[in-house]
Amino acid sequence: MTGTVLSSGHGPDDPQQRDPDEPRGGTGTARFVARKVGGALTSLVLVVLLGFLLFRMIPGDPVATMTRDRPTSPEQLAQLRERMGLDKPMFQQLLDYLAGLLRGDLGTSYVFNRPVATMIGERVWPTILLVGTATVLAVLLGLWLGVRAAWRRNSMFDRAHTGLALTFWSTPQFWLGMMLLIATQGVFPSGGMRSPDAPSGFFAASLDVAHHLVLPCVTLLVVVYAQYMLVMRSSLLEEMHSEYLTTARAKGLRDDLVRRRHAVPNALLPTMTLIFLQFGMVVSGTVTVEKVFSWPGLGLLTYDALWGPDLPLLQGVFVILTGSVVLMNLLAELLYRVLDPRVRAS
Amino acid sequence: MRVTGQRRGRAAVAAMAAALLVAGPLAMPAQAQDSTVLRVALVQEIDHLNPFTASFASSTMIGRMTWEFLTLPSAEDTSPTGGVAESWQTSPDGLTWTFTIREGMTWSDGEPVTAEDAAFTFNRIMDDPQAAEANGSYVTNFQQVTAPDERTLVIETKEPQSSMTALDVPIVPEHIWSGVKDMSAPRTDEVEIVGVGSGPFLITEFRRNELVRLEANPDYWRGRAQIDELQFVSFKNSAAAVNALRNGEVDFVNRLTPVQFDALKSDPNIQTNQAVGRRYRDLLINHGAQNLDRQPIGDGHPALRDLRVRRAIAMAINPQELVDKVSGGYAQLGGGVVPAIFQKYHWEPDEQQRYGFDPAAARALLDEAGYRMGPDGVRVGPDGRPLELRLLGRASEDYAQRAAEYVQGWLGDVGIRVSPNLVSDNEVNELSSGGKYDLAFSGWGTNPDPDYVLSLHTCANLPVGSGSSSSPAFFCDEQYDRLYQQQRAELDPDQRAGIVHKAQQRYYEQIPSVVLQYDNALEAYRADKFAEFPKQPAGSGQIMEQSGYWGFYGATPAEGDAGGGGGGLGTGAWIAIGGGVLVVLVAGGVALSRRGKSVEDRE
């Protein structure tokens, strides 16, 4: 939906619109892209190093934690240390870790003794499904409500929805999830992504997953839509003072047409960036929702990794999650340039 | 605006209608299932299904269902009963144990269960360090394990070992596992390997983080279970698991909190089980932490090395009030380190021996030990150091948070200032194993055989280095060690029980920790689907985390219950509702986009 609105946004009566034949500034764009990609790569390297150092500072000896509650001989402890590479000096561990990372090897989980990359791979899709659905819905709902609220600023609609959005925004996700679970009285499953006896067949199985998706998705949606709404509302309010809107109205265009074809497209830009940034953040923010609903995604994996602490797993999850934020950030910046001619010009 | 409003209404109606259309045919009754399924909520993760490496309680429990042990504790009173072994005898010197393997027992793939399988299992644990990861402690005293013939297993031990009929080691089929070179390979968790067993249930599906499905073993030697399928469904949130029990999505939930337990009591479809527990909870007193080389480690308050001070602490606190107020009455007052559930080996001080709650006596003891009351109400030792103690506990634990306040109050009354230090679980492990605490809340799960829990407090179990192992109380006492060795070598159960009692008494008198209580195990199940579960021990014990498989193996479906799907609505209805929601979303989206188009059309 946003796509069509956007393309129609740069109409002839848009005073901000530049000449469409204006050269896109080949070298300028290349330099811009190179600078942004370079920045992202630097961030990624820092993330990797930080991921390594950070988790070596958290308290708890992994071997002692793993062997707690069961008698372990000194030989067994030494053996475990050797298997985990903990007997090596820190610098050597870092080198091994980096070398592995370059080969796409994120190491082997201490607790589960499985390749971290495999474990993350299994969990990425459930999280993308959950976060993706929630984000799409939150964006649609947030933008729609934001536009309405701004257009009828200070109306009952505006005040009620802004108030509601702010209330939801400040609601603890864990509490909200539990309340929804209890309030729906078993209409939706209490946990998991699939029924133990999931029906076979693609359609039925998908419906089963969709059924499990409802509550976690709603919990996530309710908390995150507010920011889309509020950003959309405020950026549209700014646009509403612009002269081009007066021009549009003066031409005799109907009110909702002025809003949809002229005001909204220009107000959308700040929201686009937010969507990308938030997508990265939401992935890491699913820990709570996934814990409430036992959704087998990256959030739960992070939780399990912390419990150990399972260093390779923690590192892997950290790198993947923060890496995705960096990547989304980069995409947002590049896309912003494509979408907003003003950025390109400057 | 008016037009938009109307259109919005129309879109909603259309979406509802579409949802009903889709949902209608799908809203069929619960899937007709002839088989009885018992669904158990599993709140803990599964690390491995491979019985050589599985160490989480949930994983070892699944192993118990799948592979029969040599012998196992009975459901009635946890006394040893036959498993893979039919009978056993000991040589006069107590060093050689001969087990006769049960005749006619088979693996689920049809191969016979032989003494070679058992010998292979133990030898592999003895020879391969990776195979020793989970159960290595059981074979440390083994000299040699052989199978002279198919039905005879001979285990020679270095020293007499009374716990030989309580080896918590699943016996695995040699023809499957001998092909496994790397015991830690991820494929050893796959059904292909772990699916062949001899226990009451067989693993048929493992969806990591979601589900472990087990089917009743039709050829199980004790007879097929009454239920057809046993499913362990993963829940990461115990409140959600309780909710699932209420809704009939699962049939069994354990590890309930007192609040959850009380709330479930009023549900007519749910039966609760308050069972005597297998864990003890204690308050560690750092009386001088040391490592295996007897070098002092950590930074415990020196005053605690004085037995009189420890005694004063024990007398200043009131465990009964902790049981009543903090645990809501769902616990038994503590005594020795063997919980009251294991009657034979449990020891309790008599009235004279018990420290009892007596602040006046505690004050007198502290005076006697030379700790004079300071002007600020805190006692000061002869060295001028005030009696200020840190109390370590898990921030994640409700018990620690609440009990810390009581302890702080009680000890404050006798002139000991306590500052609670509630931190993350990892930090607790780090600090407590490094001896960096004065007082700490701790606890331990125990087995029917007392050897393991007693061994924890021997000098041999002191940590190798700081923070390297799990010695719960840093206890190292010659007299205790002697008693431990004696009970270990004593093969007569009654004689042994006497020595076990003495060892616990010694521990109690030396006060390396105050055993506060034995928590009850709180469980609940769907009474409308299941009539009965055998408890261990009979009558008062728990169902789920037993030493053995009795609880789920003996599960009896309620009369007239066909089993199967969740209570209330059936799977079909769930699917329909999910589908309905999807349709509403899709229809809503379509309606919205159509609205956009119609505006353009009119332009």
Side-chain angles (χ1 to χ4, degrees):
Chain A
M1 195 182 92
T2 48
T4 52
V5 176
L6 266 178
S7 59
S8 64
H10 311 293
D13 47 15
D14 184 345
Q16 302 287 333
Q17 181 71 46
R18 303 277 165 145
D19 179 3
D21 295 323
E22 179 189 66
R24 290 206 167 202
T27 56
T29 303
R31 207 181 303 135
F32 173 80
V33 171
R35 204 175 67 228
K36 290 296 169 195
V37 171
L41 282 177
T42 315
S43 307
L44 276 180
V45 170
L46 285 176
V47 160
V48 166
L49 290 178
L50 195 68
F52 181 85
L53 292 174
L54 202 62
F55 298 120
R56 270 154 186 81
M57 292 188 326
I58 56 174
D61 174 8
V63 176
T65 320
M66 270 183 70
T67 54
R68 90 185 140 210
D69 283 23
R70 63 195 156 108
T72 326
S73 65
E75 296 79 37
Q76 265 183 303
L77 289 173
Q79 173 112 37
L80 278 171
R81 266 175 211 290
E82 196 191 321
R83 201 180 89 200
M84 297 175 179
L86 289 168
D87 53 340
K88 294 181 191 166
M90 187 78 93
F91 189 67
Q92 185 61 42
Q93 289 184 41
L94 176 65
L95 286 184
D96 289 350
Y97 168 62
L98 292 178
L101 212 55
L102 288 177
R103 293 193 307 268
D105 177 8
L106 291 170
T108 305
S109 154
Y110 290 164
V111 178
F112 301 95
N113 201 33
R114 303 175 70 220
V116 170
T118 314
M119 294 183 74
I120 292 178
E122 290 169 349
R123 305 289 195 101
V124 161
W125 296 113
T127 294
I128 289 188
L129 177 67
L130 173 60
V131 173
T133 316
T135 305
V136 167
L137 294 178
V139 167
L140 291 178
L141 184 70
L143 296 195
W144 184 68
L145 287 174
V147 169
R148 300 266 147 177
W151 209 251
R152 287 186 272 162
R153 163 183 73 222
N154 287 331
S155 66
M156 261 308 276
F157 181 91
D158 179 22
R159 270 176 293 173
H161 277 277
T162 310
L164 199 64
L166 283 173
T167 311
F168 282 140
W169 177 237
S170 44
T171 310
Q173 283 188 347
F174 195 89
W175 180 84
L176 184 70
M178 286 314 302
M179 286 301 114
L180 281 175
L181 201 56
I182 293 162
T184 50
Q185 291 267 336
V187 174
F188 298 104
S190 308
M193 192 173 83
R194 284 183 280 177
S195 306
D197 297 301
S200 50
F202 179 77
F203 182 66
S206 307
L207 282 181
D208 182 52
V209 172
H211 184 217
H212 284 76
L213 183 64
V214 176
L215 284 189
C217 187
V218 167
T219 309
L220 208 54
L221 160 78
V222 160
V223 175
V224 297
Y225 89 91
Q227 51 188 329
Y228 297 116
M229 177 188 164
L230 297 173
V231 168
M232 190 65 212
R233 181 177 175 278
S234 64
S235 63
L236 187 59
L237 279 180
E238 266 176 46
E239 292 292 330
M240 280 169 65
H241 300 296
S242 308
E243 288 172 0
Y244 70 95
L245 291 186
T246 321
T247 318
R249 283 208 186 85
K251 286 197 315 188
L253 287 179
R254 268 192 303 102
D255 194 49
D256 65 325
L257 208 60
V258 172
R259 183 183 73 220
R260 254 204 315 280
R261 308 277 316 250
H262 299 274
V264 170
N266 284 308
L268 260 177
L269 285 166
T271 327
M272 291 304 296
T273 331
L274 185 71
I275 293 169
F276 275 91
L277 285 182
Q278 278 306 310
F279 192 79
M281 304 298 276
V282 171
V283 170
S284 42
T286 48
V287 178
T288 324
V289 175
E290 291 188 359
K291 169 102 167 86
V292 176
F293 296 102
S294 314
W295 187 264
L298 282 180
L300 265 193
L301 192 66
T302 314
Y303 181 84
D304 287 339
L306 270 171
W307 189 79
D310 193 335
L311 283 184
L313 193 54
L314 259 184
Q315 260 165 221
V317 172
F318 178 80
V319 167
I320 296 294
L321 286 185
T322 39
S324 74
V325 175
V326 171
L327 200 71
M328 285 297 164
N329 217 331
L330 176 70
L331 274 179
E333 282 183 319
L334 295 180
L335 198 75
Y336 206 81
R337 190 175 158 87
V338 173
L339 291 180
D340 190 348
R342 286 169 295 189
V343 176
R344 205 156 56 223
S346 67
Chain B
M1 288 299 117
R2 191 178 52 83
V3 179
T4 326
Q6 266 184 5
R7 204 175 283 119
R8 204 187 309 149
R10 246 182 285 148
V13 170
M16 292 286 281
L20 281 174
L21 271 177
V22 173
L26 267 172
M28 53 201 162
Q31 275 180 332
Q33 284 182 344
D34 304 327
S35 59
T36 317
V37 181
L38 170 60
R39 261 182 215 150
V40 180
L42 204 59
V43 180
Q44 201 191 14
E45 190 54 77
I46 289 171
D47 55 346
H48 297 290
L49 289 180
N50 174 352
F52 293 99
T53 52
S55 35
F56 290 2
S58 51
S59 318
T60 53
M61 176 178 63
I62 291 170
R64 287 199 180 96
M65 307 286 158
T66 310
W67 296 281
E68 187 68 89
F69 295 147
L70 213 49
T71 61
L72 72 162
S74 70
E76 293 74 30
D77 56 4
T78 67
S79 60
T81 181
V84 169
E86 211 167 46
S87 60
W88 50 92
Q89 52 186 357
T90 331
S91 65
D93 62 1
L95 289 173
T96 307
W97 286 72
T98 310
F99 294 87
T100 307
I101 304 303
R102 194 170 297 281
E103 199 165 10
M105 200 171 156
T106 56
W107 297 106
S108 54
D109 61 1
E111 298 281 323
V113 177
T114 66
E116 275 109 16
D117 292 313
F120 164 79
T121 306
F122 290 116
N123 278 313
R124 189 71 193 259
I125 296 174
M126 287 159 68
D127 300 338
D128 177 356
Q130 274 178 346
E133 205 166 303
N135 299 317
S137 64
Y138 292 105
V139 301
T140 46
N141 187 34
F142 284 17
Q143 184 73 51
Q144 196 185 17
V145 183
T146 49
D149 64 66
E150 286 216 332
R151 290 197 55 211
T152 312
L153 177 77
V154 179
I155 302 179
E156 290 163 50
T157 58
K158 296 171 193 160
E159 284 162 39
Q161 182 178 336
S162 53
S163 60
M164 285 295 290
T165 50
L167 302 172
D168 208 359
V169 180
I171 303 298
V172 302
E174 182 180 11
H175 64 280
I176 301 283
W177 288 89
S178 60
V180 175
K181 293 286 166 269
D182 177 9
M183 235 359 140
S184 63
R187 79 179 184 101
T188 56
D189 287 335
E190 286 168 14
V191 173
E192 194 190 320
I193 289 180
V194 297
V196 181
S198 58
F201 296 96
L202 304 166
I203 299 170
T204 54
E205 191 185 357
F206 177 33
R207 299 207 303 249
R208 221 169 245 285
N209 322 308
E210 289 187 59
L211 173 80
V212 182
R213 189 193 303 271
L214 297 103
E215 263 166 31
N217 180 356
D219 304 318
Y220 180 53
W221 70 273
R222 281 183 213 272
R224 193 183 185 281
Q226 289 188 63
I227 57 170
D228 302 302
E229 211 173 290
L230 177 60
Q231 297 175 355
F232 292 99
V233 186
S234 192
F235 276 89
K236 276 306 168 96
N237 171 3
S238 75
V242 169
N243 199 55
L245 179 74
R246 280 184 190 279
N247 298 336
E249 294 164 66
V250 294
D251 306 310
F252 198 100
V253 174
N254 80 334
R255 297 194 184 193
L256 297 168
T257 64
V259 175
Q260 291 170 336
F261 189 77
D262 284 338
L264 285 173
K265 269 184 179 166
S266 56
D267 193 319
N269 293 322
I270 289 170
Q271 177 71 46
T272 50
N273 181 35
Q274 176 184 354
V276 295
R278 292 171 43 181
R279 285 189 73 83
Y280 70 81
R281 232 182 234 289
D282 63 348
L283 179 71
L284 302 181
I285 303 178
N286 189 346
H287 59 290
Q290 51 183 337
N291 64 15
L292 201 53
D293 302 330
R294 310 288 167 88
Q295 299 298 315
I297 55 171
D299 55 6
H301 198 294
L304 299 175
R305 293 188 195 139
D306 188 332
L307 180 61
R308 287 170 299 189
V309 176
R310 300 206 293 276
R311 202 178 155 85
I313 291 174
M315 295 179 91
I317 59 177
N318 186 354
Q320 185 62 51
E321 200 161 330
L322 292 176
V323 169
D324 295 339
K325 301 268 174 63
V326 180
S327 297
Y330 292 117
Q332 290 161 278
L333 193 63
V337 292
V338 177
I341 177 179
F342 306 120
Q343 270 180 12
K344 195 180 186 83
Y345 296 108
H346 171 64
W347 173 85
E348 256 182 66
D350 56 37
E351 278 316 305
Q352 276 100 48
Q353 287 168 318
R354 199 177 267 288
Y355 298 124
F357 179 53
D358 191 348
R363 283 188 207 103
L365 265 172
L366 290 169
D367 287 338
E368 188 194 315
Y371 291 88
R372 303 255 160 249
M373 189 66 93
D376 56 351
V378 180
R379 288 172 186 273
V380 181
D383 56 354
R385 192 172 162 176
L387 256 185
E388 290 179 345
L389 305 178
R390 298 158 296 171
L391 171 57
L392 185 66
R394 294 172 197 276
S396 62
E397 208 182 51
D398 188 47
Y399 181 91
Q401 289 187 355
R402 295 174 56 200
E405 285 184 29
Y406 283 92
V407 171
Q408 192 179 15
W410 287 324
L411 294 186
D413 285 347
V414 299
I416 302 174
R417 181 177 286 162
V418 171
S419 50
N421 180 24
L422 300 174
V423 292
S424 76
D425 291 15
N426 293 327
E427 220 168 330
V428 168
N429 294 328
E430 173 104 339
L431 293 174
S432 61
S433 60
K436 291 173 183 153
Y437 66 93
D438 300 318
L439 304 172
F441 287 113
S442 180
W444 214 270
T446 64
N447 297 329
D449 191 280
D451 187 77
Y452 171 56
V453 69
L454 292 181
S455 75
L456 290 172
H457 304 291
T458 57
C459 297
N461 202 55
L462 285 172
V464 187
S466 169
S468 70
S469 185
S470 43
S471 172
F474 295 101
F475 191 50
C476 176
D477 177 70
E478 268 176 41
Q479 194 178 331
Y480 177 90
D481 267 23
R482 251 198 321 276
L483 289 163
Y484 169 74
Q485 293 301 342
Q486 274 178 30
Q487 70 79 29
R488 193 176 192 202
E490 179 56 65
L491 300 178
D492 178 83
D494 294 321
Q495 301 260 4
R496 183 182 175 208
I499 307 168
V500 170
H501 293 165
K502 277 190 194 142
Q504 291 180 82
Q505 185 176 347
R506 176 70 186 167
Y507 184 90
Y508 189 83
E509 285 163 1
Q510 291 300 307
I511 333 179
S513 82
V514 181
V515 176
L516 299 169
Q517 63 185 54
Y518 314 116
D519 285 358
N520 288 155
L522 303 177
E523 310 173 304
Y525 60 91
R526 296 292 301 195
D528 51 347
K529 285 187 66 193
F530 291 93
E532 205 193 340
F533 292 90
K535 295 169 186 169
Q536 183 190 46
S540 60
Q542 54 186 326
I543 297 167
M544 186 155 163
E545 289 176 21
Q546 299 181 347
S547 302
Y549 37 66
W550 314 104
F552 294 147
Y553 168 61
T556 316
E559 232 162 90
D561 184 84
L569 289 173
T571 319
W574 296 128
I575 295 170
I577 292 163
V581 170
L582 254 189
V583 168
V584 170
L585 292 177
V586 171
V590 169
L592 277 172
S593 66
R594 274 179 56 117
R595 247 185 63 215
K597 273 190 195 127
S598 65
V599 172
E600 275 171 47
D601 291 346
R602 271 182 290 130
E603 212 173 354

